[in-house]
Amino acid sequence: MTSSDRSQAVDEHRTYAIRTYGCQMNVHDSERLSGLLENAGYVRAPEGTAEGEADVVVFNTCAVRENADNRLYGNLGRLAPMKTQRPGMQIAVGGCLAQKDRDTIVRKAPWVDVVFGTHNIGKLPVLLERARVLEEAQVEIAESLEAFPSTLPTRRESAYAAWVSISVGCNNTCTFCIVPALRGKEKDRRPGDILAEVEALVAEGVSEITLLGQNVNAYGSDIGDREAFSKLLRACGAIEGLERVRFTSPHPRDFTDDVIAAMAETPNVMPQLHMPLQSGSDPVLKAMRRSYRQERYLGIIEKVRAAIPHAAISTDIIVGFPGETEEDFEQTMHVVREARFAQAFTFQYSKRPGTPAAEMDGQIPKEVVQARYERLVALQEEISWEENKQQVGRTLEVMVAEGEGRKDGATHRLSGRAPDNRLVHFTKPEAEVRPGDVVTVEITYAAPHHLLAEGPTTAVRRTRAGDAWEKRNAAPAQPAGVMLGIPTRGVPAPLPAPTGGCSAVG
């Protein structure tokens, strides 16, 4: 151990807890923060530990919601008296809001020990130690990426499914989004580095990966290859043992025919697509600085459906963008009817401080936005149910998931994801089934947001992913499997629903 390592080492009983807000990128960053802390000797606080009982509490923040700062300062305020009663407790704030507000956080909450940004998450252990020794807050915000995050230690949250970042940052200038200002311009990883990470994950038992980027299918713009993303999908298809490949979130502007062909022709690329719409109105899309129009968007959907008939397509929609008229909103409803999304993440527009849209004329009254939102949700709910009913009678291979079915214990069911990412609850078979294993079931009932397979399981296939899950859960709780540069654990499958963060507005 070097002197630098020794300076970062901490008592083995010192615990940490991370609170994550925002999009998938933030969740994946929190895995890296966990890996960094465990690599430095910290231990994750046990499940159920009360807020304030961990020795280090880290807030990984989001800045795209209007009340993001209020939420943060409310949480920090609750921790202030606990910190006073527990000498040695430390609080750190990172993520997009930290990148945006910098010294403001320490001014409003002087009991915070460390503030770090989106570009230098690797510095967290050093900053915590520095704050402890100097007994003063450490604020360090890098203006550009210091090292690609995938080179950092990572504590993955699942043994069978993983996120793999292929790029960071975004080159778009959407008027409702502050992410490019906080995450920077797009920076792509080298294809060989991405594939090496995927192969390492598969060697550890991971069977499903999700390629992750702020604008995932723009991959290649930074390395000068317009077809780099489709080539990457095809390369993933050649990795033995990798059963499922997904990606999020693409942008209609960059969704080219070669990507559709790669999806259709690569067996382990799943028949699922999350394609943000945001609005179906051409004038609103122009005001949003979205570089496509309704015809282009629906054309992509048509091509995907022609190439992949069973594809489940989901989307993001913002209701009540400044200047949106009733006619504009009806155009969004038209696209929803035409596209027939399996699922839509719908958001009422709220001002994102620092974005051009926040200063636009024509801000829509709250009651109008609410009424439109309810109409949209009702329409999409009807379509989702109709689309799910089309699955009844189909036989599907379902990858068993952990923690997907909140009522599974009471119903004696298990839950998992179909290839198109639909949630399936199925009767628990007599044979042992572990998360990561694959079962074959027949769908007997459909609800708007899930499917049921109430009959007997047709087949159970034990997998290396299930073996990995079993091995992890048989081992004593410890910060094992944290490595530098080659993450050895998966992340929860599937991706969480967007919560208004980067991906939700991509």
Side-chain angles (χ1 to χ4, degrees):
M1 180 181 286
T2 67
S3 59
S4 174
D5 291 331
R6 282 192 294 270
S7 70
Q8 295 179 37
V10 295
D11 176 36
E12 64 178 354
H13 299 299
R14 193 160 168 78
T15 61
Y16 75 90
I18 298 177
R19 304 287 180 259
T20 308
Y21 306 101
C23 67
Q24 296 94 328
M25 299 293 286
N26 275 22
V27 176
H28 194 21
D29 281 349
S30 288
E31 291 185 321
R32 297 183 179 112
L33 293 172
S34 293
L36 285 159
L37 291 171
E38 294 188 5
N39 202 51
Y42 294 84
V43 176
R44 173 179 277 189
E47 191 74 25
T49 299
E51 188 177 53
E53 290 186 2
D55 297 305
V56 173
V57 180
V58 183
F59 292 94
N60 189 8
T61 63
C62 169
V64 303
R65 286 298 179 119
E66 187 175 14
N67 64 350
D69 54 347
N70 293 334
R71 187 177 187 185
L72 172 65
Y73 295 124
N75 288 325
L76 292 176
R78 283 193 293 274
L79 286 180
M82 303 176 195
K83 191 172 189 292
T84 301
Q85 296 168 9
R86 295 188 61 219
M89 178 183 175
Q90 290 184 295
I91 300 172
V93 179
C96 291
L97 192 64
Q99 186 78 23
K100 175 176 171 285
D101 284 354
R102 304 167 184 262
D103 297 322
T104 305
I105 294 172
V106 173
R107 178 171 55 81
K108 289 188 174 182
W111 53 92
V112 169
D113 299 276
V114 171
V115 179
F116 61 101
T118 59
H119 298 309
N120 63 332
I121 63 175
K123 292 290 187 66
L124 177 59
V126 173
L127 294 173
L128 286 169
E129 180 66 7
R130 192 183 301 164
R132 186 187 67 81
V133 172
L134 299 179
E135 297 184 342
E136 62 181 27
Q138 300 298 304
V139 179
E140 189 168 310
I141 307 291
E143 296 299 333
S144 59
L145 195 65
E146 294 185 344
F148 204 94
S150 290
T151 63
L152 300 173
T154 305
R155 186 193 192 280
R156 305 275 178 157
E157 294 299 332
S158 167
Y160 55 89
W163 297 339
V164 175
S165 288
I166 68 172
S167 64
V168 295
C170 181
N171 294 334
N172 294 320
T173 57
C174 300
T175 55
F176 53 76
C177 184
I178 198 171
V179 169
L182 303 179
R183 293 272 182 179
K185 292 292 186 181
E186 181 178 326
K187 182 68 176 176
D188 295 336
R189 293 177 69 188
R190 294 173 59 87
D193 293 340
I194 296 169
L195 294 171
E197 181 178 350
V198 173
E199 289 170 350
L201 288 165
V202 172
E204 290 290 329
V206 168
S207 60
E208 176 178 315
I209 61 107
T210 300
L211 303 175
L212 191 61
Q214 224 79 55
N215 183 8
V216 70
N217 60 320
Y219 177 75
S221 62
D222 181 51
I223 56 179
D225 184 352
R226 294 176 62 87
E227 296 189 353
F229 186 62
S230 62
K231 292 174 182 176
L232 184 62
L233 290 178
R234 293 182 185 277
C236 286
I239 297 176
E240 186 176 355
L242 179 58
E243 297 195 16
R244 296 185 173 190
V245 178
R246 306 186 191 276
F247 57 89
T248 197
S249 284
H251 192 293
R253 181 195 66 188
D254 303 299
F255 209 83
T256 49
D257 290 349
D258 61 297
V259 174
I260 297 173
M263 292 178 65
E265 296 166 10
T266 309
N268 64 356
V269 175
M270 294 294 95
Q272 174 219 350
L273 175 63
H274 183 75
M275 178 73 78
L277 169 65
Q278 309 305 4
S279 174
S281 162
D282 288 355
V284 173
L285 289 170
K286 182 178 180 181
M288 289 178 167
R289 289 188 199 152
R290 302 287 286 182
S291 52
Y292 55 90
R293 298 296 178 259
Q294 180 188 119
E295 183 179 4
R296 158 75 172 156
Y297 185 93
L298 288 174
I300 294 171
I301 301 300
E302 184 178 358
K303 287 181 178 180
V304 170
R305 289 247 159 82
I308 316 168
H310 289 301
I313 301 174
S314 57
T315 195
D316 300 325
I317 301 173
I318 297 173
V319 178
F321 188 80
E324 181 188 75
T325 65
E326 182 63 23
E327 182 181 354
D328 292 325
F329 177 68
E330 284 297 338
Q331 288 299 305
T332 296
M333 298 283 275
H334 169 71
V335 173
V336 170
R337 293 186 186 98
E338 290 293 312
R340 298 195 65 80
F341 299 113
Q343 187 177 20
F345 300 102
T346 52
F347 305 92
Q348 297 184 41
Y349 173 78
S350 62
K351 292 182 179 180
R352 272 77 165 177
T355 63
E359 307 302 322
M360 286 182 176
D361 294 333
Q363 302 287 328
I364 311 298
K366 172 66 177 175
E367 60 272 17
V368 175
V369 177
Q370 181 69 33
R372 290 176 183 170
Y373 173 80
E374 291 173 1
R375 287 162 56 195
L376 175 61
V377 169
L379 173 63
Q380 181 56 51
E381 194 88 350
E382 178 184 336
I383 292 172
S384 293
W385 199 357
E386 291 173 354
E387 290 298 304
N388 275 0
K389 287 176 181 177
Q390 300 298 314
Q391 304 298 309
V392 174
R394 291 189 66 194
T395 298
L396 302 175
E397 280 200 333
V398 175
M399 181 178 289
V400 183
E402 185 173 28
E404 287 271 32
R406 288 173 293 180
K407 299 179 181 178
D408 281 352
T411 59
H412 303 290
R413 293 179 181 136
L414 297 176
S415 299
R417 294 280 167 170
D420 64 8
N421 209 36
R422 283 183 165 94
L423 177 63
V424 180
H425 304 301
F426 60 93
T427 302
K428 187 175 182 179
E430 293 184 7
E432 180 189 12
V433 180
R434 309 158 301 177
D437 286 341
V438 176
V439 298
T440 304
V441 298
E442 181 179 334
I443 303 304
T444 57
Y445 175 81
H449 303 293
H450 68 266
L451 304 173
L452 285 182
E454 299 166 297
T457 301
T458 305
V460 175
R461 177 163 60 86
R462 292 173 68 86
T463 65
R464 292 176 61 252
D467 294 342
W469 180 90
E470 187 172 37
K471 181 179 179 181
R472 167 187 278 203
N473 284 272
Q478 58 183 351
V482 179
M483 298 180 64
L484 184 63
I486 305 180
T488 61
R489 302 291 188 190
V491 298
L495 293 170
T499 57
C502 321
S503 173
V505 292

